[in-house]
Amino acid sequence: MSADLATYNFAYLDEQTKRMIRRAILKAISIPGYQVPFASREMPMPYGWGTGGVQVTASIIGPEDVLKVIDQGADDTTNAVSIRAFFQKVANVAVTTHTKDATIIQTRHRIPEQKLGENQVLVYQVPIPEPLRFLEPRETETRKMHALEEYGLMHVKLYEDIAINGRISKTYAYPVKVDGRYVMDPSPTPKFDNPKMHMSDALQLFGAGREKRIYAVPPHTEVVSLDFEDYPFEIQTFEQDCALCGAHGVYLDEVVLDDKGGRMFVCSDTDHCEDRREHGHVGAMLAPNQEAAE
Amino acid sequence: MTDTPLLKVSGVSKFYGSRIGCKDVNFELWPGEVLAIVGESGSGKTTLLNCISTRLLPTAGSVEYRMRDGNFRDLYHMSEADRRFLMRTDWGFVHQNPADGLRMAVSAGANVGERLMAVGDRHYGKIRETATDWLGRVEISADRIDDQPRAFSGGMRQRLQIARNLVTGPRLVFMDEPTGGLDVSVQARLLDLVRGLVNDLGLAAIVVTHDLAVARLLSHRMMVMKDGHVIEHGLTDRVLDDPREPYTQLLVSSILQV
């Protein structure tokens, strides 16, 4: 590239913007679960593709960081590949698909199966940061409800679920109370991952680009999923093991194989699955005696 | 009734620019007493009600409420958190249009249970039991508990709104034209119900209405408003049977006799 040509600043955003976002992040960390407004920028990708997460990542990433990006737990889907390529290009940082090697993990939907450590930061892409939004449309009112800790409405939603479906049917974006104070929407992660947020060693940052909000869960913070005494919070369970690596007690995706009802259940976290297979774990579909049958 | 009032309203005025909403209103309300505020539309009834119920900040004056600990507190010197807590526990507000006071998109049971959950009830079974009980008390059958208020008739919605307000056992209820928009037979049933509940629970209530029949049936005392001023104030039967102000005489004589 010729020296005359305009070029990007490190990690795309200019330094003043990063500074503004870092301030919002610091404030978010000091008030766990509180949504801090910030001046979200236009990013070279459409809203809904993770513009909030990308801005948070761009503000905290340094030349020595190792970045991992996942979408629905997978490292190889369009969204993950594009964002990873974006940071390779504009920040020239090392990237990885291995959870344990990454210092920053940007995610949509999933928290990696492998336990995160204290040197890692998990950045969530958030579409709708306000957990009360579909119950109370007025932003002025929801802010007041947060300020005065009026969270009865959240339980009205859960009550309604039980009344209609006989159980709390919310399976993703399941509301949590952070540090005993703010009710927070953990973005569209499955409720399976909610317990992983509780007392996590890693810093968790949430960025909502279109809604212009940043919030955070600092390490070792209490994150409690809301429930009723007689209808306690439960995570999803799966009858099958992963068809490829035989993992049990992990979050599985259902993959339709043909139009005759064939299907397989496979780890949603691709890195976890690959790692297990490298270590010799084999699921039903890859077992040697099965291969001959197919 | 006790010797100390529940609510003391002194010198409450509300100006909209140079226009008067209500001016220099003073009264006291005792526990278990029902006060009707009557007057033609535009006379400042609703403005006054909103000023007392902290929904609208008055330009001048003070509103004091006797808390459950027996101490009077000026509502406008309380923190917003305390005030809102008071509103959803010790007070009720029944809107003229039930859609303003109900959550139309959640079931009747959740509407009644909302206040319970807001004060920290976290047992689904108990919340539902209380909701069923209250639906029964306002004559809504228990099998409608999972229906949304949109599926209810106007009269049922209004009764549901009343149940939703009374579930936390409030001591003071504000009603803004509670029978407006209902047909006569439904009105009569609703008035019967409200009268019964007020008597059973020993509620104090402030009822705003333009309908003198409602005032006659429900209230012990009444205030007549005109152009933002209280022009006459007394026992309901006295005011209606022996109106002193010319305007009140006009109002009373305007009732259609059938």
Side-chain angles (χ1 to χ4, degrees):
Chain A
M1 197 183 282
S2 146
D4 299 324
L5 283 176
T7 179
Y8 292 118
N9 186 32
F10 176 78
Y12 190 76
L13 295 173
D14 63 273
E15 291 305 314
Q16 282 304 314
T17 299
K18 287 190 201 169
R19 198 176 145 140
M20 173 272 293
I21 295 175
R22 284 175 197 147
R23 282 187 176 183
I25 293 174
L26 286 175
K27 185 168 178 182
I29 294 171
S30 351
I31 319 172
Y34 171 71
Q35 300 166 45
V36 183
F38 79 110
S40 176
R41 299 293 195 248
E42 291 274 334
M43 297 303 282
M45 61 183 73
Y47 287 130
W49 281 59
T51 53
V54 165
Q55 288 178 75
V56 170
T57 302
S59 313
I60 60 171
I61 202 164
E64 283 82 41
D65 273 312
V66 183
L67 179 71
K68 170 183 163 84
V69 184
I70 49 176
D71 173 17
Q72 309 274 2
D75 292 281
D76 52 5
T77 55
T78 314
N79 197 203
V81 170
S82 323
I83 293 175
R84 199 160 57 224
F86 175 76
F87 279 110
Q88 263 177 309
K89 185 170 181 179
V90 299
N92 197 26
V93 290
V95 294
T96 181
T97 58
H98 298 302
T99 304
K100 59 180 188 306
D101 298 338
T103 55
I104 299 174
I105 303 171
Q106 183 172 331
T107 176
R108 177 182 178 82
H109 301 122
R110 287 302 316 283
I111 300 174
E113 302 291 354
Q114 189 179 346
K115 194 173 182 301
L116 299 180
E118 59 185 7
N119 297 321
Q120 295 180 303
V121 181
L122 189 58
V123 178
Y124 296 75
Q125 305 165 195
V126 179
I128 293 162
E130 179 51 73
L132 303 162
R133 176 58 67 239
F134 293 108
L135 304 161
E136 174 53 64
R138 290 166 292 177
E139 175 72 15
T140 47
E141 188 63 18
T142 54
R143 282 213 207 181
K144 197 166 274 180
M145 290 160 82
H146 281 295
L148 302 177
E149 232 182 316
E150 285 181 10
Y151 292 130
L153 199 53
M154 208 71 248
H155 273 87
V156 171
K157 164 78 183 114
L158 301 179
Y159 171 98
E160 213 40 17
D161 256 17
I162 302 173
I164 295 168
N165 303 306
R167 64 192 163 82
I168 300 176
S169 58
K170 186 107 180 132
T171 53
Y172 68 98
Y174 192 102
V176 292
K177 194 167 221 182
V178 181
D179 202 23
R181 176 60 179 84
Y182 283 96
V183 166
M184 183 186 93
D185 184 340
S187 101
T189 51
K191 66 178 176 181
F192 183 87
D193 287 338
N194 275 14
K196 292 182 195 159
M197 306 177 90
H198 178 63
M199 291 294 170
S200 165
D201 290 335
L203 170 64
Q204 303 174 75
L205 300 175
F206 299 77
R210 179 180 45 209
E211 303 288 325
K212 303 177 173 54
R213 295 287 184 276
I214 286 173
Y215 50 105
V217 176
H220 312 293
T221 302
E222 219 172 52
V223 178
V224 181
S225 304
L226 301 181
D227 59 4
F228 284 103
E229 287 159 16
D230 43 349
Y231 287 84
F233 172 76
E234 290 170 341
I235 59 171
Q236 293 102 329
T237 53
F238 298 88
E239 286 166 14
Q240 291 92 340
D241 298 338
C242 171
L244 300 180
C245 75
H248 184 73
V250 297
Y251 195 75
L252 301 178
D253 285 338
E254 183 180 4
V255 181
V256 173
L257 298 175
D258 51 38
D259 58 359
K260 300 178 191 71
R263 62 193 59 200
M264 67 190 279
F265 285 87
V266 59
C267 284
S268 138
D269 185 340
T270 52
D271 172 58
H272 182 72
C273 198
E274 281 162 15
D275 189 56
R276 277 178 59 86
R277 272 179 280 157
E278 270 169 31
H279 286 84
H281 296 278
V282 178
M285 195 169 262
L286 293 182
N289 58 341
Q290 286 279 307
E291 253 171 324
E294 285 174 31
Chain B
M1 284 190 201
T2 54
D3 300 341
T4 36
L6 189 63
L7 188 76
K8 285 195 259 189
V9 176
S10 29
V12 167
S13 303
K14 174 74 192 174
F15 297 100
Y16 298 106
S18 58
R19 218 159 291 161
I20 295 173
C22 61
K23 191 154 190 280
D24 204 19
V25 178
N26 299 286
F27 69 90
E28 289 175 344
L29 186 75
W30 274 265
E33 184 187 36
V34 180
L35 173 75
I37 304 174
V38 302
E40 60 191 8
S41 88
S43 60
K45 309 184 294 279
T46 301
T47 296
L48 176 61
L49 189 76
N50 286 340
C51 282
I52 301 167
S53 59
T54 74
R55 293 158 54 83
L56 190 66
L57 184 69
T59 316
S62 77
V63 183
E64 286 176 281
Y65 181 71
R66 185 156 57 82
M67 310 297 282
R68 284 184 189 256
D69 61 10
N71 296 322
F72 277 99
R73 290 189 67 186
D74 189 332
L75 296 175
Y76 290 99
H77 287 115
M78 283 165 78
S79 71
E80 192 176 9
D82 289 348
R83 210 153 62 208
R84 284 172 68 117
F85 183 76
L86 184 74
M87 279 195 83
R88 60 172 194 259
T89 53
D90 221 18
W91 287 9
F93 197 104
V94 177
H95 295 262
Q96 173 173 11
N97 180 2
D100 295 340
L102 292 172
R103 289 192 190 280
M104 298 304 277
V106 304
S107 69
N111 263 296
V112 178
E114 179 174 350
R115 277 176 161 228
L116 296 173
M117 293 182 247
V119 296
D121 243 321
R122 293 288 177 268
H123 193 284
Y124 175 82
K126 286 179 195 158
I127 294 169
R128 202 171 165 82
E129 205 176 295
T130 316
T132 315
D133 176 48
W134 267 101
L135 289 182
R137 289 169 84 163
V138 296
E139 299 167 18
I140 296 175
S141 74
D143 61 358
R144 302 298 300 269
I145 188 168
D146 292 332
D147 291 351
Q148 292 184 2
R150 324 177 187 276
F152 286 6
S153 69
M156 278 171 84
R157 287 180 191 184
Q158 199 56 286
R159 295 203 298 274
L160 180 63
Q161 198 193 172
I162 289 167
R164 173 182 157 92
N165 274 293
L166 297 187
V167 68
T168 48
R171 295 190 298 160
L172 175 58
V173 179
F174 300 95
M175 298 188 198
D176 188 4
E177 306 271 10
T179 57
L182 301 177
D183 65 57
V184 218
S185 58
V186 175
Q187 259 190 40
R189 234 173 107 195
L190 188 78
L191 286 175
D192 245 12
L193 178 82
V194 171
R195 198 152 63 151
L197 287 172
V198 166
N199 279 338
D200 291 351
L201 305 171
L203 290 176
I206 299 180
V207 184
V208 160
T209 180
H210 62 266
D211 187 341
L212 293 181
V214 171
R216 169 83 93 180
L217 272 170
L218 283 183
S219 68
H220 305 116
R221 267 196 305 152
M222 65 189 281
M223 288 185 349
V224 183
M225 290 189 74
K226 186 177 190 300
D227 301 331
H229 294 83
V230 174
I231 54 164
E232 190 161 355
H233 181 185
L235 294 177
T236 301
D237 291 344
R238 204 281 291 154
V239 175
L240 289 179
D241 296 340
D242 178 21
R244 295 195 182 150
E245 292 295 317
Y247 175 74
T248 316
Q249 291 167 1
L250 180 78
L251 209 61
V252 171
S253 60
S254 313
I255 302 175
L256 281 178
Q257 304 291 337
V258 280

